[in-house]
Amino acid sequence: MINESVLLESKTLRGSVLDRTEVLDRVKTLSLLPDEMHVTTAMVAAYFGVTVEAIRALVHDHRAELEGNGYRVLTGTELSDFKQLSGIQSRTGSLALFPRRAVLNVAMLLRDSEVARQVRVYLLDMEYLARTQPVENPVPTAPISLDDRIDQRITHILGKTVVPMFNALIETSGEHRKELIALRAGVQRIERRLHQHHARLQRLEGVREDRPAVGVMAAMDAMNGRTFEHHIAELLRRDGCTDVVVQGGHGDRGVDIIGLTADGRRLVVQCKRFAPYLNITSPDVQKFVGAAKVLYSAEVALFVATCPFTRDALNIAAEAGITAVHRGVLEEWSAGEPLKVLE
């Protein structure tokens, strides 16, 4: 997977993903002017959580590139016409406008913004998935083949029978523990590949029926808090964790899920199903640090959220040894990519 920071340096790579403007709303709701097409400099700054001066400085340094993607400054008659058409009440003598494409361009240039970083992560995730999909022949009209149904059945057996069997053997075995862990990891890799293949089939089915397939994050956004906790518990079990218990609710002492990693480390998880335009803040993380480290003496602590983390929250998590699983990482994890801290 390409690191998101490469977009800061490569104009060619930025240009290759500028059509994916829908990713902006996956990270945070982008408020538009009444014309439903543009935003002002102040609105761009509010979206990325930076100052207006920071956006103006970025425009100064990259004006030609941004203008190539629709950025412009209205004055005179053009500005008067725009105010009349859009209903903007302002006496300003000039107005800088960014279409969504230019806002996405800003996200790929802005260094000191967690929202911009999240947008870059999503962009590269989408590009990676697009590049790694096999080249499809024209979409067939026949139903899913017998081979595909067999693949789905194998996936179910691996997840519900084979992996739990390895977990039990690992718990009771001393001499062959390392070999069993290695074998289980191989089985889990196969299971993840089959999951990814099945997800591609579901997307194809959505194309066949001329309707969009439901995305991983859209499905999680539709869950209630309890269902979301059980979804995370299933991901943990899929990746080899044992004794996984969902205990969210009153009396959970700030921890929603407890369990053991595949190699026996004590695991605790906090789950937050927030709207994607909200943030996990530093007080949220500080509260979890106390519960995870003091009350539970956890060796592995996950803070899983369907939204981004603020910069301060990420810094506190890193200092305290908390793994922050933000919206982008959560989507990858749900799609089959394991969390490194659990391996």
Side-chain angles (χ1 to χ4, degrees), residues 202-243:
Q202 288 182 315
R203 288 193 291 272
L204 263 181
E205 195 65 22
V207 172
R208 288 191 190 113
E209 297 180 16
D210 197 26
R211 58 174 171 77
V214 177
V216 171
M217 293 309 302
M220 275 186 273
D221 289 338
M223 296 176 182
N224 60 35
R226 190 67 170 174
T227 304
F228 178 61
E229 290 167 4
H230 281 280
H231 173 71
I232 299 305
E234 283 303 311
L235 294 179
L236 293 168
R237 296 185 185 105
R238 182 201 70 191
D239 289 347
C241 296
T242 61
D243 298 334

Side-chain angles (χ1 to χ4, degrees), residues 4-10 14 107-111 120:
E4 51 85 20
S5 62
V6 300
L7 285 169
L8 296 166
E9 312 299 336
S10 174
R14 292 196 294 270
M108 291 186 278
L109 293 166
L110 191 59
R111 293 180 181 272
R120 294 193 293 269

Side-chain angles (χ1 to χ4, degrees), residues 97-333:
L97 294 179
F98 297 74
R100 293 175 67 88
R101 188 178 174 94
V103 178
L104 185 59
N105 198 168
V106 170
M108 291 186 278
L109 293 166
L110 191 59
R111 293 180 181 272
D112 297 325
S113 165
E114 178 59 23
V115 174
R117 194 190 71 81
Q118 291 285 342
V119 171
R120 294 193 293 269
V121 168
Y122 269 132
L123 278 172
L124 290 177
D125 285 349
M126 294 172 68
E127 187 68 6
Y128 173 80
L129 288 173
R131 291 177 181 273
T132 54
Q133 297 298 318
V135 177
E136 300 288 352
N137 292 321
V139 177
T141 57
I144 296 175
S145 69
L146 176 61
D147 286 344
D148 292 327
R149 291 199 297 272
I150 292 172
D151 284 348
Q152 293 175 24
R153 184 59 180 164
I154 291 172
T155 305
H156 178 80
I157 293 171
L158 290 176
K160 298 298 184 181
T161 304
V162 178
V163 171
M165 179 187 69
F166 272 114
N167 291 340
L169 289 172
I170 290 168
E171 287 181 9
T172 58
S173 175
E175 183 180 355
H176 301 291
R177 181 180 176 84
K178 289 185 178 179
E179 291 86 345
L180 288 169
I181 290 174
L183 287 170
R184 182 187 60 191
V187 171
Q188 289 174 321
R189 281 194 295 271
I190 295 170
E191 183 189 5
R192 286 193 296 272
R193 288 170 185 168
L194 289 171
H195 270 300
Q196 291 165 351
H197 176 64
H198 181 54
R200 287 195 293 271
L201 288 175
Q202 288 182 315
R203 288 193 291 272
L204 263 181
E205 195 65 22
V207 172
R208 288 191 190 113
E209 297 180 16
D210 197 26
R211 58 174 171 77
V214 177
V216 171
M217 293 309 302
M220 275 186 273
D221 289 338
M223 296 176 182
N224 60 35
R226 190 67 170 174
T227 304
F228 178 61
E229 290 167 4
H230 281 280
H231 173 71
I232 299 305
E234 283 303 311
L235 294 179
L236 293 168
R237 296 185 185 105
R238 182 201 70 191
D239 289 347
C241 296
T242 61
D243 298 334
V244 176
V245 177
V246 178
Q247 59 173 24
H250 296 298
D252 62 11
R253 300 196 299 174
V255 167
D256 296 318
I257 302 172
I258 60 173
L260 298 173
T261 63
D263 56 0
R265 290 171 292 163
R266 190 177 297 106
L267 166 72
V268 298
V269 185
Q270 174 67 273
C271 302
K272 292 295 184 185
R273 197 203 61 74
F274 285 176
Y277 54 82
L278 298 177
N279 289 298
I280 299 300
T281 61
S282 53
D284 296 324
V285 177
Q286 289 170 359
K287 181 179 177 182
F288 179 55
V289 170
K293 300 297 184 179
V294 178
L295 297 179
Y296 286 86
S297 300
E299 297 168 274
V300 177
L302 308 180
F303 197 125
V304 182
T306 56
C307 63
F309 287 65
T310 65
R311 182 177 296 277
D312 286 343
L314 288 172
N315 289 339
I316 291 171
E319 291 170 3
I322 304 296
T323 300
V325 182
H326 57 69
R327 190 175 178 88
V329 174
L330 176 57
E331 185 171 25
E332 289 184 348
W333 187 26

